Amino acid sequence: MDLAIREFRESIVRFINATELSIEVKRLVVKEIYQEIKDASDKEVKQLVLERSSAEKQDIITEEEKDNNAESVSKNTLEELPKH
């Protein structure tokens, strides 16, 4: 993976260096691209957090339902026992 990242980085640097634009223009373009990638990454992380939070809430609800069902079953079982 490290090799793929290094090759990716080097290909971007070579491409940028090969253009005839001024260094300031290159910097501004790279800065814009960085911001777009950062925004997309932040959005993806927020979505993952929401999904994880939703899944955890569902797990809690499921556990509460199991507890309620277990209480209901034990109450019904006690009510069905013959009284002496």
Side-chain angles (χ1 to χ4, degrees):
M1 188 62 164
D2 291 337
L3 179 60
I5 294 170
R6 186 176 0 177
E7 288 174 347
F8 176 69
R9 182 188 181 283
E10 288 175 1
S11 66
I12 291 172
V13 169
R14 278 193 305 273
F15 180 79
I16 290 170
N17 288 338
T19 63
E20 298 295 322
L21 299 170
S22 71
I23 192 71
E24 184 61 18
V25 170
K26 292 176 185 179
R27 186 189 70 79
L28 290 172
V29 169
V30 169
K31 185 177 176 182
E32 286 178 14
I33 293 169
Y34 165 78
Q35 189 60 49
E36 290 173 11
I37 292 171
K38 183 180 181 306
D39 292 346
S41 174
D42 291 347
K43 184 178 178 180
E44 188 173 312
V45 167
K46 285 180 184 178
Q47 183 63 35
L48 290 172
V49 168
L50 287 173
E51 289 172 4
R52 182 174 292 156
S53 176
S54 177
E56 288 173 356
K57 286 180 184 176
Q58 187 60 39
D59 288 345
I60 290 170
I61 290 170
T62 303
E63 286 299 318
E64 289 174 354
E65 288 174 351
K66 286 180 185 177
D67 292 344
N68 290 340
N69 287 340
E71 288 176 15
S72 176
V73 167
S74 63
K75 285 181 184 177
N76 291 340
T77 303
L78 290 174
E79 291 172 0
E80 293 174 3
L81 289 175
K83 296 180 182 173
H84 296 286

